[in-house]
């Protein structure tokens, strides 16, 4: 397994907020190290994992669903026009991918993930029970509490269209993030009805090309 830009130390390359550090310590104590790190990917990790998994399996988590509901002030938006990124919210179910990292590289990868996903500390990382073709597996994923300051409640289609049109961050637009996720899911035979509806909404208003199929 090759990790891209992985830190050489056992902690993230840059200091993280206190809450992020505490959650990392908690995740490390709850991690069953008898096998390599298992990660449940549901959003950008599907199309940009940042490493080469030793194994990849389709997986489903019950009790959480994927939603474009985390405010982004840097990566996919800015202070003047916040954007959105995906999170796992409680309720329903979610189909995604289960990645397994080689044990020897797993500690570095865990810290790389924290540097990527927990720089602000909005997510609530959890070890989730995933259903896979080889049976249940316990994998790390990034959930979001509805009480988090970063959580965005229900948005109207007009609100979504405004964000799709104007939200731009250092890694691109919210709309590009959405389109890449839908494409990444489809490449693995996965479909998300709500995300595809949002893509069709954007296409209907001339903001992107229509989905095929």
């Amino acid at each position: 397994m090759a990790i891209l830009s992985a830190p050489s130390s056992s902690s993230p390359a840059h200091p993280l907020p206190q809450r992020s550090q505490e959650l990392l310590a908690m995740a490390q104590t709850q991690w069953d190290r008898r096998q390599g790190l298992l990660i449940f990917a549901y959003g950008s990790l599907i199309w940009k994992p940042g490493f080469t998994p030793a194994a990849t399996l389709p997986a489903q988590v019950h009790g959480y669903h994927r939603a474009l509901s985390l405010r982004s002030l840097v990566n996919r938006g800015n202070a003047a026009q916040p954007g959105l990124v995906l999170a796992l919210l409680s309720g329903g179910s979610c189909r995604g991918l289960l990645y397994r990292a080689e044990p020897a590289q797993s500690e570095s990868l865990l810290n790389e993930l924290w540097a990527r996903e927990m720089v602000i500390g909005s997510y609530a990382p959890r070890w989730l029970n995933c259903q896979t073709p080889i049976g249940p597996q316990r994998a790390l994923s990034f959930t979001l509490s509805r009480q988090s300051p970063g959580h965005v409640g229900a948005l109207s289609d007009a609100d979504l269209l405004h964000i799709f049109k104007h939200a731009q961050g250092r890694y691109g637009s919210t709309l590009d993030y959405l389109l890449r996720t839908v494409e990444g899911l489809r490449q693995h035979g996965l479909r998300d009805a709500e995300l595809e509806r949002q893509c069709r909404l954007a296409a209907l208003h001339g903001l992107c090309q229509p989905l095929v199929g």
Side-chain angles (χ1 to χ4, degrees), residues 36-42 45 49 51 57 59 97-101 109-110 113 127 130 138-142:
L37 181 65
L38 298 179
I39 303 159
F40 178 70
Y42 59 88
L45 284 172
F51 72 105
L57 292 170
L97 299 178
L98 183 82
Y99 295 142
R100 183 178 68 80
L109 177 57
L110 180 61
L113 281 174
W127 295 95
C130 304
R138 192 164 178 260
L140 180 69
S141 198
F142 295 90

Side-chain angles (χ1 to χ4, degrees), residues 165-179:
K165 182 179 289 188
H166 299 290
Q168 184 83 23
R170 65 179 173 182
Y171 294 143
S173 68
T174 294
L175 180 56
D176 179 66
Y177 173 92
L178 172 66
L179 293 170

Side-chain angles (χ1 to χ4, degrees), residues 175 179 198-200 202-210:
L175 180 56
L179 293 170
Q198 292 170 0
C199 290
R200 289 194 296 270
L204 184 63
H205 288 80
L207 301 181
C208 64
Q209 293 298 314

